[in-house]
Every structure is written in C-alpha cells, then in structure tokens.
Amino acid sequence: MTIHQHDIQAQRDAEHAAAEVPAQWPGRGPQAAVQGQAAPPVPRPVPVPVPPRTGHRLFVYKQDPSVTELGARLAFIPTVVLNGPADARVKIELPGVTPVARNISGDFVFDAGTAQFDCAHTFAVVRQAMAMFERHNGGTPIPFAWNVGGNTDPITVFPHAATGANAFYSRTAQALKFFFFTPEGQVPPRVVHTCRSLDIVAHETGHALLDGLKPGWLSAGNPPQTGGLHESFGDLTAIFLALAQPDQADALVALTKANLHDKSFLADLAEEFGQALGMPAGLRNADNDLKLSDVGNEVHAISQVFTGAIYDVLADVYAFELSRQQRTKDPALVLIEVASGLCKLVFDAIVAFPATGAGYADVANGMLQISATRGDPAIYRTFVRNRFAVREVTTAATPLTDLMSGQMRMTDAAYTGDGQDVTEVEPYDGRSASLRAEQDRSRCCGTMQMPEYEVVAPEKLAMGGALEDDDILREDLDELRRVFGT
C-alpha cells in the first residue's frame, strides 16, 4: 500500500478542523460538509473518572488572623453543603446575612473579614473538627447530646452571637455562640471576632462533641478533674485539628526545625484573643510545666495540666518516630501520623471511661492499656507514664531518673526505664483538691459557666437528650409547687 504526501496532508487538515470545531455540535465540523450524508462516528477519548460528589471549597483562616505564617487559605469539605452554609449536622445563623449562597462553582469563597466569610469559615472549622473525630470513631457520626431516640437535630452556630469577650456551647440552645468585642485602649479600635480563630471554634466544638460522647461530664457536680478534661479536650481538639492539616504540619516543622518545644502557633492557643486581653502568648500555652499541686481546684488551670502532659507525649513520640523514620518519610508526614495516632489514643481512652466522675488517672490508664492492645512500641507507654507522673497525676511506676536528667533513650522502641511495661498506675494523691473539692469555674470559657451545667445533676445530664428551662429551674420549681400546693 502506497501512502502519498497529499493523503497525509488531507488527514492533518481534517484533524485540525475537527479540533477547532467540536464534531459533536450538530451541523458543524468537516463530516457535515456534505448535505444529506450521515456523519461517520467520531472516536471518543478514554473517559476520565468523575468523583460521585465534588464537595465544596471554603476560604478560611488556618489559625488565628494574627498567625500570618499561614493566613487565609482554601479548605475543602467533601460532603454536600447547602446554602447557609448548612448540612445535616451543622447550620449557620447570622440575621441579615444567612443564608449565604454558593458561587457558580459551588463554593463559599468570600473576602476575609466580611460577614459572609465569617459564616463560611466558622462552618468549615466546625465541620473539620467533627470529621476528625468521626474518623477516629470508625467513620460513625458522633451524636450531639440531644441526638437520642431518633432525634437528628443539627447544631446551630452563631458567628456573631453578641458583644462580649467570650464564646460557648449550650445543650439547652443546641448551639455554638461566638461573640465579638473591641479591646480597650487600642488605637485605632479593632474588633476581635472569636469566630475567626480556629483555636476558639475548635475548642467550643470539642465541648459539643464531648458532651455527645459523655453527656454527664459537663456537670459541676463532678470532681474538678472531670471539668478539666472538658476544657482540655477543647484545647486538644484545636491542636490535633491543626496537625491533621498538611499545610499546618509542614509550616510547623519548618518553623520549629521539628522541635515541638520551640515556640510556635501550635502551643499558643487563641493568640489574637489572648493578646486583646493583655496576654502576649495567647489565651493558653499547651507547652507548659504545670503540676496538680500548682492549680488547686480551678478548672481552667487544672485543664492545662492534662493538656501539657498530652503535649509532652506528642513531642516525645514525634522525636522517637522522626529518629527512626527520617530517612524514609518527610518530617511533616511523620508528625501528621504521630498526631493522628495520639489523638485516637486519647479519644478511645475517653470513650472507654465512666459516664460521670472521670479523672486524669482514669484516662492515663486507658491510654496505657489501649496502647498495649494495639501494639505500640513500649516506649510510647513509657512516655505516657513519665509525663503524667511528673505532673503529679499518677504515681511513678518506673524511676524518673532518666527523664529528669535528660538521658532518656529516645530511640529505643523497647525502653521502659527499668524493663517493666506497666499498664496501670495509681493516682498520685487521692486527697488532691482536683479530685475532692468543688469545681471552681470562674476562669473557664463560657461553656463551663452556663447555668445548665451548674445546677443540673450529673446523673440527669448523663441521660442525654435535650435540656429545657424547667430542667435548669427544677429545684426552684419543686419548692414553689410544694409551697403553693399547701
């Protein structure tokens, strides 16, 4: 068969014309040039697989507005989000603004600092925090406290709830409420919106999720350590959510040279809010050295003991895993995996413990036992035992000499300090005010100061379900009925 040059040129001309005018347009393209003649079939390229759902992009602050290393970036929510934003679990309410509509691409992308941005940002952070714990829950949705008996009511989020330096979760209102305020003495005046802080939104979402898992733990009738667990869970939600995001983990590793004890945006919590109140390092510092003997029965301070212990364990496990994986994995990827594993360990230990009255030693023992069951290196449990013992939460089941001298064998997977892999330890001091005194919630976030958690008994809260005003006023109403009935 002979191929002539004019045949090749004719073929090229036909291909060029087909590329310029799509052949699938009726009456267009070279094959339609002959009127009345059926167009021959045109070969189609291999189809590109399309995801069943595209999800939505939202523009968010990755940390606080003050953390300029990260600023505002796109986030992706891989589920269906309605105008609002809203979905089956979360809806945003801002009178005069919501529902906020998706753009033509189906995304919620607005200029930072606008009311529409605040709605989208707050929704995204709440949804990301929920998704993180649902992953640790085997993909099963975590109920809110009122989601019992078939109730599927979502939580309502108010980005601009009112004026004030606060934010809170309320079971009675089935809501998260974020306030805004203008700090005194600032020139020019600048409004601080608590809804724009990933730390604050994640913290309050942590309260809501833990109330769904352990509805009795929010009662002031529990020991102070139980209240401390609630506040700490909120802060740990912010820390683990940051480390679940590759861009944040990568930025942190570069900023600290992979040393989590260097000053960073991770350990400093709610920086903008804290600075507005005169606290240069933020509202709280997770990388602290507080012990139970330093804090009495004030729940806000007690929470930092537990948070600090978990943060130390995170830094220890990361140092160990980085030493043995640095030649095979990127340091940021190692950090993401370590944080995810520790988050699940804390989550599982909390889920496993009592409906009321849980203490720090309960959770520490749960972590030790679950860690052994899932086959973690023995040194993980050494880190847990050491860090809780140093903070006077538990007794030192193994000598602390290596830790206190800085001579721990951080690269030895089997290291236990004395050769014993202990998985149960005792509370350091059963007479501690953090276990026996009344809870002092005077410095806690707005959640812990809600009247519903101050006066409703732990047993009532532990039953779950919605709370009504009559539940909060039960004692007074019973007294009135007794008096008026005589």
Side-chain angles (χ1 to χ4, degrees), residues 316-327:
D316 290 347
V317 175
Y318 180 52
F320 165 73
E321 290 295 348
L322 190 60
S323 70
R324 72 173 185 171
Q325 297 190 66
Q326 61 183 343
R327 294 183 182 276

Side-chain angles (χ1 to χ4, degrees), residues 260-284:
L260 298 191
H261 290 299
D262 272 4
K263 180 175 174 57
S264 71
F265 60 80
L266 183 69
D268 289 343
L269 296 161
E271 292 94 330
E272 184 184 51
F273 187 92
Q275 289 163 10
L277 300 181
M279 305 174 185
L283 196 60
R284 285 183 291 281

Side-chain angles (χ1 to χ4, degrees), residues 26 82 234 239 266 279 293 306 312 346 376 381 384 420 422 456:
L82 306 178
I239 290 170
L266 183 69
M279 305 174 185
S293 61
F306 189 87
D312 282 346
V346 174
D376 291 336
R381 294 179 290 285
V384 172
Q420 298 183 35
V422 177
V456 179

